[in-house]
Amino acid sequence: MASSLISCPLLFVISFFTLVSMAVARSNLSQIPRDILTQQEADRVTRLPGQPPVKFKQYAGYVTVNKSHGRALFYWFFEATRKPEKKPLLLWLNGGPGCSSIGYGAAEELGPFLTQKGTPELRFNNQTWNKAANLLFLESPVGVGFSYTNTSKDLYELGDTITAKDSYMFLINWFRRFPQYKSHDFYISGESYAGHYVPQLAELIFDANKNVSKEDYINFKGFMIGNALLDDDTDQTGMIEYAWDHAVISDGVYDDIKQNCNFKVGRSTVKCDKALNEYFSVYDIIDMYSLYTPTCVYDTSKTTTTQRKIIHGVAPKLFSKFDQWNKKPAGYDPCVSEYSEVYFNRPDVQEALHANVTKNIPYPWTHCSNSIMGWKDAPPSMLPVIRKLINGGLRVWVFSGDTDGRIPVTSTRYTLRKLGLKIKEDWTPWYTYHQQVGGWTTIYDGLTFVTLRGAGHQVPTFVPRKALQLIKHFLANEMLPSKPF
């Protein structure tokens, strides 16, 4: 697919710089039409309840992605803390599928404002990623968080394909509302099931950019995904290997799974199901998303459940049918998601965010949707898409917190081995502050893999300073330091 760009390099270069020059001209706010500025101002969030004072601007609201069906996606956008006009734009997507990038990414991981226990006040996140980029969060697909559809049958038709298409349409329309960011380098990042979302959206942008109008060209440079669901076979195999190697399951359970389960084929048997039930039962008493942190102990009569509804048809086909696979992730404070759900269901918070403006969303805001009725399509492997995008010249990084049991580092290493890329620099330590090893890197031909020591599934929650260092180096296309500093 990349050959069409290579076939006429001069035309592509001329077109590219024409686009950039047009976008730069539009980046001057005085050149933006008044009606567009009015739309931006309508989305401006002046101050959230309990928010600490900040100097950067924030915006939130809805972008329509399908007028005939009444589908609209909710976003929350933060300008960079300093010199936003010179910083790239980064879109963050959480996975699930069906889980909120607002609830997890923005409010518990990498956004500037984090929820707290026992207080309605937000705290400022000193390791917020909008120190490195202009930061955009999206609740996708419809039915997730504040995003909605006026056509109820849409909730039965969701899947990977429509999620990517709606997210792409969101970007096209968001850039029309904020044309000053058209000239900025654009990147996507995310975690977990975003191992599907991010490459699929990246592929849509990559393909569309070859034929799209000048107005809708996106200055897309690359993506980075963490603890990401990428390949059913290696993801599931790695989960079992990791659990045994980290003393989570017994030799007997491990042997039963190895003998009776074929993850490559993906078919289930009675003996396999019995062994997997024993495997998953361990994660009823410890946190699959973070093996070495406490679980949340709370009064179930006063708080929401950590179990979310099973969405049939998602990847991986075998594991996703088990109840325990569908537990919501927690955080370093294992009850943090309980605080966020209280906060985002407050009427004054929703009003400040321009969310649920018609009051017609018939269910409370939750981290992971209970309204999605099925999942139509989920390919068993994202590796063909990743190969294509690497060959197309996009920057691709994969990172992994090494205490996550959900999509463990073992799974990701098996997956990247399956990708078959040539290793240019193998398993090198990288250093964070105070001369400490932050993790390890492997540099492939076209892809960089990074581990982060001591991090669970939601890496920025567990090791926020290392995560900020990671995103800064990714955006700058600079390798992490291989020597103490």
Side-chain angles (χ1 to χ4, degrees):
M1 297 296 290
S3 60
S4 61
L5 296 181
I6 298 170
S7 61
C8 54
L10 181 59
L11 178 60
F12 174 76
V13 169
I14 292 172
S15 299
F16 174 79
F17 282 105
T18 300
L19 289 167
V20 170
S21 63
M22 290 176 63
V24 169
R26 282 204 298 268
S27 68
N28 187 332
L29 288 177
S30 65
Q31 302 299 314
I32 298 176
R34 184 178 298 272
D35 62 325
I36 300 297
L37 291 175
T38 300
Q39 289 180 25
Q40 291 184 21
E41 192 58 31
D43 285 359
R44 178 83 180 272
V45 177
T46 53
R47 186 78 174 265
L48 286 166
Q51 176 203 304
V54 292
K55 294 182 179 179
F56 57 83
K57 294 179 181 179
Q58 57 176 317
Y59 301 82
Y62 288 98
V63 172
T64 298
V65 296
N66 187 301
K67 289 184 179 179
S68 63
H69 283 227
R71 290 206 301 270
L73 298 183
F74 182 79
Y75 80 91
W76 195 359
F77 171 64
F78 302 94
E79 288 188 346
T81 56
R82 295 182 65 253
K83 299 182 179 179
E85 70 281 358
K86 295 183 178 180
K87 294 284 199 312
L89 173 65
L90 177 70
L91 170 68
W92 175 269
L93 298 173
N94 279 91
C99 294
S100 168
S101 303
I102 302 299
Y104 287 117
E108 297 173 21
E109 298 187 64
L110 55 118
F113 308 124
L114 304 179
T115 53
Q116 302 182 86
K117 178 180 181 180
T119 173
E121 304 296 315
L122 300 172
R123 68 178 176 88
F124 183 72
N125 177 12
N126 287 319
Q127 310 302 327
T128 174
W129 282 19
N130 72 323
K131 288 186 175 182
N134 298 287
L135 195 53
L136 178 61
F137 297 93
L138 175 65
E139 291 192 306
S140 175
V142 292
V144 173
F146 295 123
S147 295
Y148 67 88
T149 177
N150 292 329
T151 307
S152 58
K153 70 176 183 180
D154 283 347
L155 299 176
Y156 293 85
E157 301 295 325
L158 296 174
D160 283 15
T161 299
I162 194 171
T163 300
K165 288 181 177 178
D166 279 1
S167 295
Y168 176 72
M169 186 53 61
F170 164 83
L171 286 174
I172 293 296
N173 290 332
W174 189 88
F175 277 117
R176 290 174 181 173
R177 189 175 301 179
F178 291 89
Q180 64 265 41
Y181 290 97
K182 288 279 290 179
S183 63
H184 293 229
D185 289 350
F186 175 67
Y187 299 89
I188 312 174
S189 189
E191 68 192 10
S192 197
Y193 201 84
H196 280 224
Y197 288 168
V198 172
Q200 289 165 337
L201 177 56
E203 183 181 33
L204 271 184
I205 298 170
F206 179 79
D207 288 343
N209 271 352
K210 298 171 186 177
N211 301 303
V212 78
S213 67
K214 293 179 180 179
E215 179 187 12
D216 293 334
Y217 182 91
I218 296 175
N219 193 22
F220 183 45
K221 299 298 184 181
F223 61 90
M224 181 173 73
I225 42 180
N227 291 88
L229 192 78
L230 293 172
D231 184 88
D232 286 4
D233 175 19
T234 50
D235 287 341
Q236 293 172 120
T237 299
M239 286 179 67
I240 304 304
E241 299 282 354
Y242 184 88
W244 179 80
D245 192 49
H246 285 73
V248 171
I249 57 174
S250 69
D251 291 359
V253 170
Y254 176 76
D255 290 339
D256 285 345
I257 294 173
K258 296 290 282 185
Q259 290 173 19
N260 297 301
C261 299
N262 187 330
F263 299 130
K264 189 170 293 186
V265 175
R267 283 198 299 267
S268 183
T269 65
V270 173
K271 288 184 176 180
C272 175
D273 285 353
K274 181 178 183 296
L276 289 178
N277 273 317
E278 290 190 55
Y279 158 75
F280 276 115
S281 69
V282 179
Y283 292 121
D284 287 334
I285 56 176
I286 65 172
D287 188 353
M288 174 187 279
Y289 294 88
S290 176
L291 295 191
Y292 305 115
T293 51
T295 57
C296 181
V297 179
Y298 55 87
D299 183 350
T300 55
S301 67
K302 296 180 180 179
T303 56
T304 56
T305 177
T306 58
Q307 196 79 11
R308 59 190 178 93
K309 184 175 73 70
I310 296 175
I311 302 175
H312 296 283
V314 302
K317 296 293 191 298
L318 203 162
F319 272 23
S320 61
K321 70 180 184 178
F322 288 88
D323 288 346
Q324 295 92 332
W325 176 260
N326 297 282
K327 281 190 174 181
K328 299 177 185 178
Y332 185 71
D333 174 348
C335 300
V336 69
S337 293
E338 305 303 324
Y339 322 144
S340 301
E341 293 211 2
V342 170
Y343 187 79
F344 287 114
N345 277 296
R346 287 171 50 179
D348 58 342
V349 172
Q350 293 184 6
E351 182 178 359
L353 286 171
H354 317 119
N356 195 15
V357 289
T358 62
K359 310 300 179 188
N360 286 333
I361 298 178
Y363 43 80
W365 183 96
T366 60
H367 281 76
C368 296
S369 174
N370 289 315
S371 64
I372 296 174
M373 298 299 138
W375 205 254
K376 287 290 188 180
D377 62 299
S381 180
M382 296 309 302
L383 296 186
V385 175
I386 291 175
R387 287 191 191 98
K388 169 184 172 178
L389 298 176
I390 289 172
N391 292 335
L394 291 178
R395 186 182 313 160
V396 180
W397 284 30
V398 176
F399 65 93
S400 186
D402 64 9
T403 67
D404 175 30
R406 180 62 181 269
I407 307 293
V409 64
T410 308
S411 296
T412 303
R413 293 174 76 178
Y414 281 149
T415 299
L416 295 181
R417 183 185 301 175
K418 191 173 180 179
L419 194 57
L421 300 174
K422 180 181 178 182
I423 294 177
K424 298 170 67 176
E425 185 177 321
D426 196 13
W427 210 248
T428 304
W430 67 272
Y431 286 83
T432 186
Y433 306 93
H434 308 301
Q435 302 185 45
Q436 297 299 310
V437 173
W440 309 86
T441 61
T442 299
I443 314 300
Y444 296 89
D445 188 9
L447 182 147
T448 296
F449 173 55
V450 181
T451 74
L452 294 99
R453 292 180 63 216
H457 191 67
Q458 300 160 275
V459 166
T461 299
F462 294 96
V463 289
R465 194 169 186 177
K466 293 178 189 175
L468 180 59
Q469 185 180 357
L470 172 70
I471 190 62
K472 285 181 175 179
H473 280 75
F474 167 73
L475 294 174
N477 199 23
E478 295 178 351
M479 300 325 318
L480 289 154
S482 58
K483 295 180 180 180
F485 62 93

